Amino acid sequence: MAAADELAFHEFEEASDLLAETPDAATTSGSNQLTPQGHVAVAVDSGGSYGAEEEVEESDRTALLQEEKQQPGFWTFGYYQSFFDVDTSQVLDRIRGSLLPRPGHNFVRHHLRNRPDLYGPFWICATLAFVLAVTGNLTLVLAQRRDPSIHYSPQFHKVTVAGVTIYCYVWLVPLALWAFLRWRKGVRERMGPYTFLETVCVYGYSLFVFIPTVVLWLIPVPWLQWLFGGLALALSAASLVFTLWPVVREDTRLVAAVLLSTVVLLHALLAVGCKAQQEGKPLPALPLRP
């Protein structure tokens, strides 16, 4: 018994010396473990590395909580909240990128950076629809001042028509384009299409140039109006083409040419539709009865 007590005393003394040298470390012994009541268990492993048991338990608890945390479903508000989590500097940077397209400068890679948003496209479309409706009514007012025979009445339906047309274009055309590129990816394995939200984001920001253009269409000079419209269409379509080219160039030349031509043609139809919506058709004044 005396020998056993003396051996235990020496082991306790060695553990105390080791703990004094490394007070922040817990030590483990591969064969023996000393756990005095009321003290932290200390052990020394065979490799000489030290670690506190409390820290290990805390990290395990944190990892377990992270695993139990569920991602919100697509039907919840929290799922879409991340797509509106952008600041003003990011939105302005993406607007500048859409206004200044240049070859070799990919809008998705340089401006979206795998973080597409719906905040910018939503308000750009809403602003464009509102500006189209307001300038359309102003155009009729100015036409009535130049020609008193023209009868003017507020046309509030322009807001609805412009809003439905623009939002359908920004959602349906990217949806068809994304589905086509996904299908071509199965045919051409080297193709890597953008996500659906990235495609919607590209189309939404590409329409910003039409907002100041619609305001400039109030100038009553037809050739100047078509010049502004042509420049806006060229910038907007170039932004789409330069963004889509890195994806479609992996396909055949025929498919790439047809796809890009279709994108530009649909964009041109939208621009012409905006011009027609902004001009409107003034009605002649009704003759007054005697």
Side-chain angles (χ1 to χ4, degrees), residues 27-242:
T27 59
T28 41
S29 175
S31 58
N32 299 322
Q33 190 173 15
L34 185 61
T35 57
Q37 186 176 2
H39 294 77
V40 178
V42 178
V44 179
D45 59 5
S46 58
S49 61
Y50 310 105
E53 293 183 358
E54 288 84 357
E55 295 180 0
V56 175
E57 293 178 358
E58 184 67 23
S59 62
D60 293 341
R61 191 181 300 110
T62 304
L64 182 60
L65 292 176
Q66 291 178 352
E67 291 178 359
E68 292 179 353
K69 185 179 180 181
Q70 297 180 354
Q71 295 295 332
F74 70 91
W75 59 87
T76 61
F77 177 78
Y79 177 81
Y80 298 96
Q81 186 177 5
S82 61
F83 301 124
F84 291 85
D85 187 16
V86 290
D87 53 27
T88 305
S89 61
Q90 289 176 321
V91 175
L92 292 178
D93 177 70
R94 295 173 181 185
I95 290 176
R96 286 193 296 267
S98 66
L99 293 176
L100 301 173
R102 56 184 185 271
H105 190 80
N106 193 319
F107 182 82
V108 174
R109 299 291 178 254
H110 291 84
H111 298 281
L112 298 188
R113 299 173 183 174
N114 297 325
R115 289 193 60 188
D117 71 284
L118 296 179
Y119 180 86
F122 175 82
W123 285 112
I124 289 174
C125 294
T127 304
L128 180 58
F130 179 76
V131 172
L132 274 173
V134 172
T135 55
N137 282 272
L138 288 177
T139 300
L140 295 180
V141 172
L142 296 176
Q144 184 185 31
R145 290 186 176 182
R146 292 192 300 267
D147 187 359
S149 64
I150 296 177
H151 174 70
Y152 167 73
S153 61
Q155 298 183 356
F156 298 106
H157 67 279
K158 287 180 175 291
V159 179
T160 304
V161 174
V164 171
T165 302
I166 293 172
Y167 277 107
C168 287
Y169 176 81
V170 170
W171 282 96
L172 297 181
V173 174
L175 177 61
L177 178 61
W178 171 78
F180 178 79
L181 292 178
R182 292 284 296 180
W183 171 69
R184 293 300 299 176
K185 181 182 178 181
V187 180
R188 310 283 294 187
E189 296 182 356
R190 295 179 59 186
M191 290 183 61
Y194 303 128
T195 64
F196 172 65
L197 289 179
E198 286 176 341
T199 310
V200 171
C201 194
V202 170
Y203 265 82
Y205 280 102
S206 69
L207 296 181
F208 180 84
V209 67
F210 288 105
I211 296 177
T213 302
V214 170
V215 177
L216 293 175
W217 281 344
L218 289 174
I219 301 175
V221 181
W223 68 267
L224 196 58
Q225 293 177 353
W226 287 106
L227 177 62
F228 290 145
L231 291 176
L233 176 61
L235 289 175
S236 186
S239 177
L240 294 177
V241 171
F242 293 156

